[in-house]
């Protein structure tokens, strides 16, 4: 299979949407804005079919990531996420992924409101990998 992101052969992951034949390498997934859900059944989606946050929220002007304190985009996107519980905590996908890797399922929660239930459920749905440790 040829990777739709880099164009090289050997792409082992295919979008799980029926009728979609896009394949990609796991290392190319982030660059291609693909989502892999790391819970059974493990599924991967291309950028066209990936799940997105259903939260209706938009960041205020000059909003910063609550983790790195750098500016976020002016809307939800693949790279800019929001807490589904408080709708006030905005962060970069890479920043919240780093926090998830460090915290694991036991300690992972919204860095602002500390919600765990809605936050964790939404993050795994949109492809944040949270280790069990």
């Amino acid at each position: 299979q040829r990777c739709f992101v880099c164009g090289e052969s050997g792409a082992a992951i295919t979008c799980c949407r029926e009728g979609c034949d896009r394949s990609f390498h796991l290392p190319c997934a982030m660059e291609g804005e693909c989502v892999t859900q790391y819970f059974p059944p493990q599924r991967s989606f291309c950028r066209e079919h990936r799940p997105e946050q259903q939260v209706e929220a938009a960041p205020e002007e000059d909003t910063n990531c609550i983790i790195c304190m750098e500016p976020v985009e002016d809307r939800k996107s693949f790279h800019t996420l929001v807490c589904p519980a408080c709708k006030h905590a905005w962060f970069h996908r890479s920043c919240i992924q780093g926090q998830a890797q460090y915290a694991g399922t036991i300690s992972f929660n919204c860095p602002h409101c500390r919600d765990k239930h809605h936050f964790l459920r939404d993050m795994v749905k949109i492809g944040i990998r949270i280790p069990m440790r």
Side-chain angles (χ1 to χ4, degrees):
Q1 295 284 348
R2 191 158 299 283
C3 177
F4 86 95
V5 179
C6 72
E8 299 292 322
S9 63
I13 302 170
T14 302
C15 179
C16 73
R17 182 63 61 104
E18 195 170 318
C20 183
D21 61 351
R22 288 185 175 163
S23 295
F24 50 93
H25 301 106
L26 186 58
C28 296
M30 184 69 107
E31 181 184 337
E33 298 184 352
C34 304
V35 165
T36 297
Q37 294 177 332
Y38 296 95
F39 59 90
Q42 289 192 337
R43 302 182 301 175
S44 295
F45 301 88
C46 68
R47 78 177 115 211
E48 185 177 325
H49 300 117
R50 70 175 183 244
E52 296 181 4
Q53 284 192 294
Q54 300 301 309
V55 179
E56 293 297 325
E60 296 176 12
E61 192 173 328
D62 299 325
T63 298
N64 291 331
C65 171
I66 197 165
I67 298 168
C68 72
M69 301 309 290
E70 294 292 323
V72 295
E73 295 177 49
D74 60 350
R75 60 181 172 79
K76 285 184 313 183
S77 70
F78 177 77
H79 298 286
T80 300
L81 307 173
V82 64
C83 172
C86 68
K87 300 178 181 117
H88 294 295
W90 290 86
F91 31 81
H92 301 112
R93 177 178 288 271
S94 58
C95 293
I96 204 64
Q97 180 61 73
Q99 182 178 345
Q101 288 296 114
Y102 177 74
T105 55
I106 304 249
S107 302
F108 187 58
N109 56 31
C110 172
H112 180 70
C113 71
R114 302 290 182 215
D115 177 83
K116 182 174 179 154
H117 178 72
H118 298 295
F119 186 74
L120 188 105
R121 187 178 63 206
D122 200 51
M123 293 298 113
V124 296
K125 179 183 168 197
I126 60 169
I128 301 299
R129 184 178 182 279
I130 308 164
M132 294 298 289
R133 60 177 170 157

